[in-house]
Amino acid sequence: MQGVSTPVVYPALFYVDLAVVCECGTTMMNLEKFAADFASVPPPAANALSDIDECQVEGTCSQFCENTVPGYKCSCVEGYRLGTDLRKCKATGPDPYLVYANRADIRMVTLSSTEPPSKILSGLQNAIAVDFHYESGRIFWSDITTDVIRSAFLNSTGVYDVITYGLTSPAGLAVHWPLEKILWTDSGTSRIEVAGFDGSMRRVLIWKNLEKPRAIVVNPEEGTVYWTDWGSRPRIEKAMLDGSERKAIVDTSLFWPNGLTIDYPAQRLYWADAKHHVIETSALDGSGRRRVIERDLPHPFAITVFEDHLFWTDWQTKSIHRANKFTGRNATTLHTKLHFPMDLIVVHPLRQPYVRDPCAEDNGGCSHLCMPNNVSYTCLCTVEAPVQVDEKTCSKEWSSFLIFTRRSDVRWLCLDCEDDADVVFPFRNISSAGALDFDSETDMIYWSDITNDTISRSHINGSGQQIVIENTLESPDGLALDWVTRKLYWTDSGTHRIEVANLNGNMRAIIIWKILGKT
């Protein structure tokens, strides 16, 4: 297929009329010699002519551009076909459609439809982030009111909880389709975590020097993850999926970098900044940065890309918009009068192209989590087995650890592990955790809740959680477990008592109540 050609321009020529006699002293012999010399010069070769490299102009081709002399030639990645204009790449396969979170529901609409969006899920509280796994037909979303990550089929069936504890504000979510893993940001815990589709193999991936991570995307082809951070030093960062080689790629002229997406065929990043009211783009290493849209963007939130178009939601207009991804021109409003549009995605198989998974064969030989990088992969330990025995194996046997409360949860820090990230125990219904203790014989943790006025216990894996003391408690501040006599002691500054009971709550008795102030 021939590319678009540009006209060939030859240098201007001149001639000498030998019949003309110059009066400035030039002889006929000199003119004849000059003419002979000029005639002996060969004409310029075609490949030596001056050529303009049209491929340096972004948007000349949708995806790939090959400079030729003269002209250029466009081509497309597998799954796309070149249009009749020999420049634009059109996706093959099923019709694409948009899925977006709308706080109280999640909706879908085809890109070419003028019909109103249809609801996939309703009755939600505060759905923010959303992503999909095309092969399984599932979507994943986060809710920052209930602090959970959930999943369902695109036909609204098969709803289940993926992550139910240890979340504070999970506003960013990305599906790694070859690994069948989800990654999410949490601006409340200042972390990026990873887990399987069923919530297993959970691990804190990035936690140091994070403030308010927001949007997140993955690029399985290069084994990387990208995210925005709109803390005191706003920036866009990237790292390998195993957490290595982390670096900031854009860290100037940013304020609220909300949305983030990757144009996989073109290998470019796009992001929206709600404070600066712009949509920008760069190469995947942060180079070649430029503004695409810098007007009529009151408060852009999420952004995605497909073919030659950008799609984004805006909090102020409460709409979904579209524009050309190269120029920002031909901007149009696709859907308006929405409740509160949040994250959005384009669902199509070419948004999740085939990528070879280095962990596919026997999980890379890893006992637990296998995460790719730009060379191969790394075996990582998880919440379930935090101690690294060797490069492939993790163990559940940890001999020393620190347990502490953070009001809304109970956490532990493994002192035998290389990583120093604390981990949230999967306990439920904690309002204001106060005192705690640990029973090494049963691997159970006991804690008091001074808001619920209860004393509870649970195995460290979250199983067997129960309330052991709940009556006539006012403010159970202190707690101590006697591992020899198998008794539980606690203080109550509300009743001014010290009490004791068996570990299951039976045989409760007051042992000190006189001359006690606030204990």
Side-chain angles (χ1 to χ4, degrees):
M1 185 175 294
Q2 295 298 318
V4 177
S5 298
T6 56
V8 179
V9 179
Y10 292 95
L13 300 178
F14 65 92
Y15 71 97
V16 177
D17 190 343
L18 299 183
V20 176
V21 179
C22 181
E23 297 181 357
C24 57
T26 303
T27 65
M28 179 65 74
M29 182 180 296
N30 290 336
L31 287 173
E32 290 177 342
K33 183 178 185 300
F34 174 81
D37 291 342
F38 184 83
S40 65
V41 177
N47 60 3
L49 297 175
S50 176
D51 178 65
I52 298 173
D53 187 355
E54 296 87 354
C55 295
Q56 296 300 313
V57 179
E58 193 172 350
T60 297
C61 298
S62 284
Q63 295 177 4
F64 297 129
C65 183
E66 178 188 354
N67 185 47
T68 59
V69 182
Y72 59 92
K73 182 179 180 181
C74 297
S75 59
C76 308
V77 300
E78 184 178 355
Y80 292 81
R81 58 177 174 78
L82 201 62
T84 55
D85 63 356
L86 304 181
R87 295 177 59 191
K88 295 179 181 178
C89 294
K90 301 294 291 183
T92 60
D95 290 337
Y97 54 91
L98 282 169
V99 171
Y100 63 95
N102 199 37
R103 283 200 187 269
D105 51 51
I106 295 176
R107 304 185 182 194
M108 64 179 291
V109 64
T110 61
L111 299 185
S112 57
S113 174
T114 57
E115 297 295 320
S118 60
K119 292 182 181 179
I120 299 176
L121 297 159
S122 58
L124 309 180
Q125 294 193 44
N126 204 350
I128 299 294
V130 63
D131 206 351
F132 75 104
H133 184 246
Y134 192 86
E135 186 175 341
S136 65
R138 300 197 71 92
I139 60 170
F140 296 80
W141 76 93
S142 66
D143 191 305
I144 63 171
T145 295
T146 57
D147 292 329
V148 297
I149 296 174
R150 312 191 77 196
S151 179
F153 288 113
L154 283 163
N155 63 6
S156 309
T157 64
V159 180
Y160 70 88
D161 293 336
V162 181
I163 303 294
T164 59
Y165 66 92
L167 302 177
T168 302
S169 185
L173 182 66
V175 168
H176 191 293
W177 59 95
L179 291 178
E180 297 191 357
K181 299 286 190 296
I182 59 170
L183 292 89
W184 68 92
T185 62
D186 193 315
S187 59
T189 62
S190 301
R191 294 179 172 186
I192 296 174
E193 296 190 60
V194 61
F197 283 179
D198 60 356
S200 65
M201 297 297 173
R202 181 176 177 179
R203 175 187 170 87
V204 180
L205 195 63
I206 306 287
W207 69 96
K208 295 181 179 179
N209 300 318
L210 276 182
E211 291 185 71
K212 293 183 178 180
R214 230 296 286 147
I216 183 170
V217 291
V218 295
N219 188 358
E221 185 174 349
E222 64 174 11
T224 51
V225 55
Y226 296 77
W227 68 93
T228 67
D229 189 325
W230 45 272
S232 60
R233 190 169 60 88
R235 59 197 182 275
I236 300 174
E237 295 191 71
K238 70 176 288 188
M240 295 296 127
L241 284 161
D242 59 6
S244 64
E245 299 187 30
R246 175 185 172 185
K247 63 179 179 179
I249 59 171
V250 179
D251 58 4
T252 59
S253 300
L254 291 173
F255 202 92
W256 290 341
N258 269 339
L260 185 68
T261 191
I262 294 179
D263 185 347
Y264 293 109
Q267 292 289 282
R268 290 192 69 84
L269 279 174
Y270 289 85
W271 66 91
D273 192 311
K275 180 67 173 180
H276 291 158
H277 312 291
V278 297
I279 291 176
E280 298 188 73
T281 182
S282 76
L284 295 181
D285 60 0
S287 64
R289 177 183 178 181
R290 66 178 183 85
R291 292 187 171 189
V292 180
I293 306 174
E294 48 187 338
R295 56 182 298 179
D296 299 326
L297 292 170
H299 196 124
F301 182 74
I303 187 172
T304 189
V305 61
F306 189 68
E307 295 181 337
D308 284 357
H309 293 106
L310 294 173
F311 303 85
W312 71 93
T313 57
D314 193 291
W315 279 7
Q316 186 168 318
T317 65
K318 296 188 182 301
S319 303
I320 297 174
H321 305 270
R322 181 186 69 191
N324 182 276
K325 70 179 182 181
F326 298 112
T327 65
R329 296 173 183 168
N330 301 322
T332 184
T333 300
L334 295 181
H335 300 282
T336 188
K337 297 181 181 179
L338 305 178
H339 172 59
F340 215 126
M342 307 299 287
D343 202 4
L344 85 165
I345 52 176
V346 172
V347 177
H348 190 275
L350 293 178
R351 281 296 291 164
Q352 294 186 344
Y354 170 78
V355 176
R356 189 188 70 84
D357 178 11
C359 297
E361 186 175 348
D362 193 29
N363 196 40
C366 304
S367 65
H368 287 78
L369 187 62
C370 178
M371 295 298 286
N373 52 47
N374 60 341
V375 177
S376 180
Y377 61 86
T378 302
C379 296
L380 300 175
C381 297
T382 64
V383 172
E384 300 94 337
V387 181
Q388 187 140 12
V389 178
D390 53 42
E391 291 185 354
K392 298 282 188 178
T393 311
C394 300
S395 171
K396 299 180 181 179
E397 301 301 323
W398 28 293
S399 59
S400 58
F401 53 92
L402 178 70
I403 301 176
F404 60 97
T405 63
R406 279 187 29 149
R407 291 295 182 183
S408 61
D409 54 47
V410 180
R411 304 185 177 211
W412 62 270
L413 178 63
C414 177
L415 302 180
D416 298 330
C417 307
E418 293 183 3
D419 297 333
D420 56 359
D422 56 80
V423 178
V424 179
F425 284 110
F427 303 156
R428 306 178 304 278
N429 304 320
I430 296 178
S431 297
S432 188
L436 60 81
D437 210 340
F438 176 69
D439 181 14
S440 60
E441 184 174 316
T442 60
D443 279 348
M444 297 197 81
I445 296 174
Y446 293 74
W447 71 92
S448 65
D449 193 309
I450 59 178
T451 295
N452 299 334
D453 293 328
T454 57
I455 297 175
S456 303
R457 70 178 179 180
S458 174
H459 289 288
I460 58 176
N461 62 5
S463 65
Q465 181 173 333
Q466 64 178 144
I467 297 174
V468 293
I469 305 291
E470 61 179 332
N471 295 323
T472 64
L473 291 177
E474 292 187 16
S475 187
D477 303 294
L479 192 66
L481 188 146
D482 186 337
W483 62 93
V484 176
T485 62
R486 314 298 294 166
K487 301 292 183 184
L488 189 66
Y489 295 81
W490 68 91
T491 63
D492 193 315
S493 60
T495 61
H496 309 297
R497 294 172 178 174
I498 298 177
E499 298 187 62
V500 64
N502 290 334
L503 296 183
N504 62 3
N506 294 335
M507 304 300 291
R508 178 178 175 180
I510 301 172
I511 58 175
I512 299 176
W513 71 94
K514 294 182 179 180
I515 320 177
L516 278 179
K518 287 191 175 182
T519 52

